Amino acid sequence: MRQVPFLTVAEVCYISRVRIKRLGGPERLAYLPVEEEPIVFGVHSEVAEHYGVSPEQFPPHATTLDYVVAAAGG
């Protein structure tokens, strides 16, 4: 069986400094590097239905999962 050598990191080249502010319910603000305005996270469609959140309670916003999928596809 072939052994794979361990890789080591000599130095950290980037630290993403992100701040999350919880607004209540599913709503959160994410303060991301370089962005002037915070990104609003929430729930919509099937995700809102799954968690029992109606649009009257909280307006629909993209979920964190939507951003992860977009990032992976980019």
PDB file of all heavy atoms in Angstrom, residues 16-24 26-33 38-41 64:
ATOM      1  N   SER A  16     -10.146  34.920   6.929  1.00  0.00           N
ATOM      2  CA  SER A  16     -11.382  35.622   6.595  1.00  0.00           C
ATOM      3  C   SER A  16     -12.012  36.143   7.884  1.00  0.00           C
ATOM      4  O   SER A  16     -12.372  35.380   8.770  1.00  0.00           O
ATOM      5  CB  SER A  16     -12.346  34.668   5.886  1.00  0.00           C
ATOM      6  OG  SER A  16     -13.547  35.340   5.582  1.00  0.00           O
ATOM      7  N   ARG A  17     -12.121  37.432   7.976  1.00  0.00           N
ATOM      8  CA  ARG A  17     -12.694  38.059   9.173  1.00  0.00           C
ATOM      9  C   ARG A  17     -14.149  38.418   8.868  1.00  0.00           C
ATOM     10  O   ARG A  17     -14.428  39.412   8.206  1.00  0.00           O
ATOM     11  CB  ARG A  17     -11.886  39.274   9.566  1.00  0.00           C
ATOM     12  CG  ARG A  17     -10.441  38.902   9.841  1.00  0.00           C
ATOM     13  CD  ARG A  17      -9.700  39.944  10.628  1.00  0.00           C
ATOM     14  NE  ARG A  17      -8.268  39.650  10.675  1.00  0.00           N
ATOM     15  CZ  ARG A  17      -7.694  38.741  11.445  1.00  0.00           C
ATOM     16  NH1 ARG A  17      -8.433  38.003  12.228  1.00  0.00           N
ATOM     17  NH2 ARG A  17      -6.387  38.563  11.430  1.00  0.00           N
ATOM     18  N   VAL A  18     -15.042  37.571   9.352  1.00  0.00           N
ATOM     19  CA  VAL A  18     -16.471  37.713   9.123  1.00  0.00           C
ATOM     20  C   VAL A  18     -17.160  37.874  10.470  1.00  0.00           C
ATOM     21  O   VAL A  18     -16.801  37.213  11.441  1.00  0.00           O
ATOM     22  CB  VAL A  18     -17.033  36.464   8.393  1.00  0.00           C
ATOM     23  CG1 VAL A  18     -18.539  36.527   8.274  1.00  0.00           C
ATOM     24  CG2 VAL A  18     -16.380  36.318   7.032  1.00  0.00           C
ATOM     25  N   ARG A  19     -18.141  38.765  10.510  1.00  0.00           N
ATOM     26  CA  ARG A  19     -18.919  38.956  11.740  1.00  0.00           C
ATOM     27  C   ARG A  19     -20.385  38.683  11.412  1.00  0.00           C
ATOM     28  O   ARG A  19     -20.892  39.128  10.383  1.00  0.00           O
ATOM     29  CB  ARG A  19     -18.748  40.387  12.253  1.00  0.00           C
ATOM     30  CG  ARG A  19     -19.441  40.654  13.574  1.00  0.00           C
ATOM     31  CD  ARG A  19     -19.041  42.005  14.145  1.00  0.00           C
ATOM     32  NE  ARG A  19     -19.347  43.114  13.279  1.00  0.00           N
ATOM     33  CZ  ARG A  19     -20.463  43.861  13.345  1.00  0.00           C
ATOM     34  NH1 ARG A  19     -21.384  43.587  14.245  1.00  0.00           N
ATOM     35  NH2 ARG A  19     -20.650  44.854  12.512  1.00  0.00           N
ATOM     36  N   ILE A  20     -21.057  37.919  12.264  1.00  0.00           N
ATOM     37  CA  ILE A  20     -22.471  37.597  12.085  1.00  0.00           C
ATOM     38  C   ILE A  20     -23.276  38.263  13.197  1.00  0.00           C
ATOM     39  O   ILE A  20     -22.921  38.154  14.375  1.00  0.00           O
ATOM     40  CB  ILE A  20     -22.717  36.068  12.141  1.00  0.00           C
ATOM     41  CG1 ILE A  20     -21.849  35.338  11.127  1.00  0.00           C
ATOM     42  CG2 ILE A  20     -24.194  35.748  11.965  1.00  0.00           C
ATOM     43  CD1 ILE A  20     -22.182  35.627   9.694  1.00  0.00           C
ATOM     44  N   LYS A  21     -24.344  38.933  12.810  1.00  0.00           N
ATOM     45  CA  LYS A  21     -25.240  39.557  13.791  1.00  0.00           C
ATOM     46  C   LYS A  21     -26.606  38.907  13.646  1.00  0.00           C
ATOM     47  O   LYS A  21     -27.214  38.936  12.574  1.00  0.00           O
ATOM     48  CB  LYS A  21     -25.346  41.060  13.536  1.00  0.00           C
ATOM     49  CG  LYS A  21     -26.261  41.762  14.497  1.00  0.00           C
ATOM     50  CD  LYS A  21     -26.300  43.250  14.230  1.00  0.00           C
ATOM     51  CE  LYS A  21     -27.224  43.948  15.199  1.00  0.00           C
ATOM     52  NZ  LYS A  21     -27.322  45.384  14.896  1.00  0.00           N
ATOM     53  N   ARG A  22     -27.085  38.294  14.708  1.00  0.00           N
ATOM     54  CA  ARG A  22     -28.387  37.633  14.690  1.00  0.00           C
ATOM     55  C   ARG A  22     -29.475  38.690  14.896  1.00  0.00           C
ATOM     56  O   ARG A  22     -29.400  39.490  15.829  1.00  0.00           O
ATOM     57  CB  ARG A  22     -28.445  36.593  15.796  1.00  0.00           C
ATOM     58  CG  ARG A  22     -29.660  35.745  15.704  1.00  0.00           C
ATOM     59  CD  ARG A  22     -29.379  34.373  16.282  1.00  0.00           C
ATOM     60  NE  ARG A  22     -30.543  33.566  16.047  1.00  0.00           N
ATOM     61  CZ  ARG A  22     -30.604  32.611  15.146  1.00  0.00           C
ATOM     62  NH1 ARG A  22     -29.562  32.306  14.452  1.00  0.00           N
ATOM     63  NH2 ARG A  22     -31.698  31.928  14.972  1.00  0.00           N
ATOM     64  N   LEU A  23     -30.468  38.700  14.006  1.00  0.00           N
ATOM     65  CA  LEU A  23     -31.542  39.684  14.084  1.00  0.00           C
ATOM     66  C   LEU A  23     -32.793  39.130  14.752  1.00  0.00           C
ATOM     67  O   LEU A  23     -33.666  39.882  15.146  1.00  0.00           O
ATOM     68  CB  LEU A  23     -31.907  40.176  12.672  1.00  0.00           C
ATOM     69  CG  LEU A  23     -30.788  40.869  11.908  1.00  0.00           C
ATOM     70  CD1 LEU A  23     -31.265  41.249  10.514  1.00  0.00           C
ATOM     71  CD2 LEU A  23     -30.295  42.089  12.659  1.00  0.00           C
ATOM     72  N   GLY A  24     -32.883  37.820  14.855  1.00  0.00           N
ATOM     73  CA  GLY A  24     -34.073  37.189  15.405  1.00  0.00           C
ATOM     74  C   GLY A  24     -34.658  36.237  14.381  1.00  0.00           C
ATOM     75  O   GLY A  24     -34.567  36.490  13.173  1.00  0.00           O
ATOM     76  N   PRO A  26     -34.933  33.514  11.758  1.00  0.00           N
ATOM     77  CA  PRO A  26     -33.917  33.015  10.837  1.00  0.00           C
ATOM     78  C   PRO A  26     -33.028  34.120  10.247  1.00  0.00           C
ATOM     79  O   PRO A  26     -32.109  33.837   9.507  1.00  0.00           O
ATOM     80  CB  PRO A  26     -34.748  32.372   9.730  1.00  0.00           C
ATOM     81  CG  PRO A  26     -35.979  33.216   9.688  1.00  0.00           C
ATOM     82  CD  PRO A  26     -36.247  33.579  11.128  1.00  0.00           C
ATOM     83  N   GLU A  27     -33.313  35.370  10.578  1.00  0.00           N
ATOM     84  CA  GLU A  27     -32.580  36.473   9.947  1.00  0.00           C
ATOM     85  C   GLU A  27     -31.252  36.772  10.633  1.00  0.00           C
ATOM     86  O   GLU A  27     -31.171  36.849  11.856  1.00  0.00           O
ATOM     87  CB  GLU A  27     -33.432  37.744   9.931  1.00  0.00           C
ATOM     88  CG  GLU A  27     -34.638  37.634   9.043  1.00  0.00           C
ATOM     89  CD  GLU A  27     -35.385  38.938   8.943  1.00  0.00           C
ATOM     90  OE1 GLU A  27     -35.616  39.571   9.982  1.00  0.00           O
ATOM     91  OE2 GLU A  27     -35.729  39.315   7.829  1.00  0.00           O
ATOM     92  N   ARG A  28     -30.212  36.925   9.782  1.00  0.00           N
ATOM     93  CA  ARG A  28     -28.879  37.272  10.261  1.00  0.00           C
ATOM     94  C   ARG A  28     -28.233  38.229   9.270  1.00  0.00           C
ATOM     95  O   ARG A  28     -28.538  38.197   8.082  1.00  0.00           O
ATOM     96  CB  ARG A  28     -28.007  36.014  10.384  1.00  0.00           C
ATOM     97  CG  ARG A  28     -28.525  35.043  11.418  1.00  0.00           C
ATOM     98  CD  ARG A  28     -27.812  33.722  11.419  1.00  0.00           C
ATOM     99  NE  ARG A  28     -27.798  32.955  10.189  1.00  0.00           N
ATOM    100  CZ  ARG A  28     -28.840  32.351   9.628  1.00  0.00           C
ATOM    101  NH1 ARG A  28     -30.032  32.454  10.173  1.00  0.00           N
ATOM    102  NH2 ARG A  28     -28.709  31.637   8.539  1.00  0.00           N
ATOM    103  N   LEU A  29     -27.338  39.038   9.768  1.00  0.00           N
ATOM    104  CA  LEU A  29     -26.516  39.883   8.911  1.00  0.00           C
ATOM    105  C   LEU A  29     -25.101  39.347   8.942  1.00  0.00           C
ATOM    106  O   LEU A  29     -24.574  39.041  10.016  1.00  0.00           O
ATOM    107  CB  LEU A  29     -26.503  41.331   9.408  1.00  0.00           C
ATOM    108  CG  LEU A  29     -27.817  42.096   9.351  1.00  0.00           C
ATOM    109  CD1 LEU A  29     -27.624  43.498   9.941  1.00  0.00           C
ATOM    110  CD2 LEU A  29     -28.320  42.193   7.923  1.00  0.00           C
ATOM    111  N   ALA A  30     -24.491  39.250   7.779  1.00  0.00           N
ATOM    112  CA  ALA A  30     -23.098  38.809   7.696  1.00  0.00           C
ATOM    113  C   ALA A  30     -22.269  39.971   7.170  1.00  0.00           C
ATOM    114  O   ALA A  30     -22.549  40.508   6.096  1.00  0.00           O
ATOM    115  CB  ALA A  30     -22.976  37.613   6.768  1.00  0.00           C
ATOM    116  N   TYR A  31     -21.311  40.372   7.958  1.00  0.00           N
ATOM    117  CA  TYR A  31     -20.386  41.429   7.549  1.00  0.00           C
ATOM    118  C   TYR A  31     -19.151  40.748   6.973  1.00  0.00           C
ATOM    119  O   TYR A  31     -18.411  40.081   7.687  1.00  0.00           O
ATOM    120  CB  TYR A  31     -20.029  42.309   8.743  1.00  0.00           C
ATOM    121  CG  TYR A  31     -21.227  43.068   9.274  1.00  0.00           C
ATOM    122  CD1 TYR A  31     -22.089  42.488  10.192  1.00  0.00           C
ATOM    123  CD2 TYR A  31     -21.495  44.354   8.832  1.00  0.00           C
ATOM    124  CE1 TYR A  31     -23.189  43.169  10.672  1.00  0.00           C
ATOM    125  CE2 TYR A  31     -22.600  45.049   9.306  1.00  0.00           C
ATOM    126  CZ  TYR A  31     -23.443  44.454  10.224  1.00  0.00           C
ATOM    127  OH  TYR A  31     -24.536  45.129  10.701  1.00  0.00           O
ATOM    128  N   LEU A  32     -18.979  40.901   5.655  1.00  0.00           N
ATOM    129  CA  LEU A  32     -17.910  40.212   4.936  1.00  0.00           C
ATOM    130  C   LEU A  32     -16.812  41.197   4.536  1.00  0.00           C
ATOM    131  O   LEU A  32     -17.089  42.370   4.293  1.00  0.00           O
ATOM    132  CB  LEU A  32     -18.471  39.542   3.681  1.00  0.00           C
ATOM    133  CG  LEU A  32     -19.637  38.584   3.891  1.00  0.00           C
ATOM    134  CD1 LEU A  32     -20.121  38.049   2.558  1.00  0.00           C
ATOM    135  CD2 LEU A  32     -19.245  37.458   4.810  1.00  0.00           C
ATOM    136  N   PRO A  33     -15.586  40.698   4.418  1.00  0.00           N
ATOM    137  CA  PRO A  33     -14.495  41.569   3.992  1.00  0.00           C
ATOM    138  C   PRO A  33     -14.798  42.211   2.639  1.00  0.00           C
ATOM    139  O   PRO A  33     -15.388  41.584   1.759  1.00  0.00           O
ATOM    140  CB  PRO A  33     -13.306  40.618   3.865  1.00  0.00           C
ATOM    141  CG  PRO A  33     -13.655  39.434   4.694  1.00  0.00           C
ATOM    142  CD  PRO A  33     -15.143  39.333   4.650  1.00  0.00           C
ATOM    143  N   PRO A  38     -23.759  44.851   4.761  1.00  0.00           N
ATOM    144  CA  PRO A  38     -23.862  43.464   5.211  1.00  0.00           C
ATOM    145  C   PRO A  38     -24.771  42.653   4.287  1.00  0.00           C
ATOM    146  O   PRO A  38     -25.637  43.196   3.612  1.00  0.00           O
ATOM    147  CB  PRO A  38     -24.474  43.584   6.604  1.00  0.00           C
ATOM    148  CG  PRO A  38     -25.189  44.887   6.595  1.00  0.00           C
ATOM    149  CD  PRO A  38     -24.428  45.779   5.659  1.00  0.00           C
ATOM    150  N   ILE A  39     -24.549  41.352   4.274  1.00  0.00           N
ATOM    151  CA  ILE A  39     -25.374  40.422   3.500  1.00  0.00           C
ATOM    152  C   ILE A  39     -26.462  39.901   4.436  1.00  0.00           C
ATOM    153  O   ILE A  39     -26.186  39.514   5.571  1.00  0.00           O
ATOM    154  CB  ILE A  39     -24.517  39.228   3.003  1.00  0.00           C
ATOM    155  CG1 ILE A  39     -23.299  39.709   2.228  1.00  0.00           C
ATOM    156  CG2 ILE A  39     -25.367  38.254   2.200  1.00  0.00           C
ATOM    157  CD1 ILE A  39     -23.604  40.514   1.002  1.00  0.00           C
ATOM    158  N   VAL A  40     -27.706  39.909   3.961  1.00  0.00           N
ATOM    159  CA  VAL A  40     -28.831  39.437   4.765  1.00  0.00           C
ATOM    160  C   VAL A  40     -29.073  37.958   4.454  1.00  0.00           C
ATOM    161  O   VAL A  40     -29.220  37.574   3.298  1.00  0.00           O
ATOM    162  CB  VAL A  40     -30.118  40.236   4.476  1.00  0.00           C
ATOM    163  CG1 VAL A  40     -31.272  39.724   5.335  1.00  0.00           C
ATOM    164  CG2 VAL A  40     -29.887  41.717   4.698  1.00  0.00           C
ATOM    165  N   PHE A  41     -29.082  37.138   5.492  1.00  0.00           N
ATOM    166  CA  PHE A  41     -29.421  35.726   5.371  1.00  0.00           C
ATOM    167  C   PHE A  41     -30.781  35.491   6.013  1.00  0.00           C
ATOM    168  O   PHE A  41     -31.130  36.142   6.994  1.00  0.00           O
ATOM    169  CB  PHE A  41     -28.411  34.838   6.105  1.00  0.00           C
ATOM    170  CG  PHE A  41     -27.066  34.748   5.455  1.00  0.00           C
ATOM    171  CD1 PHE A  41     -25.944  35.178   6.118  1.00  0.00           C
ATOM    172  CD2 PHE A  41     -26.928  34.200   4.195  1.00  0.00           C
ATOM    173  CE1 PHE A  41     -24.695  35.084   5.537  1.00  0.00           C
ATOM    174  CE2 PHE A  41     -25.683  34.100   3.600  1.00  0.00           C
ATOM    175  CZ  PHE A  41     -24.566  34.545   4.277  1.00  0.00           C
ATOM    176  N   THR A  64     -28.078  30.516   4.069  1.00  0.00           N
ATOM    177  CA  THR A  64     -26.637  30.271   4.079  1.00  0.00           C
ATOM    178  C   THR A  64     -26.309  29.127   3.130  1.00  0.00           C
ATOM    179  O   THR A  64     -25.270  29.152   2.464  1.00  0.00           O
ATOM    180  CB  THR A  64     -26.134  29.943   5.498  1.00  0.00           C
ATOM    181  OG1 THR A  64     -26.923  28.887   6.056  1.00  0.00           O
ATOM    182  CG2 THR A  64     -26.224  31.156   6.401  1.00  0.00           C
TER     183      THR A  64
END
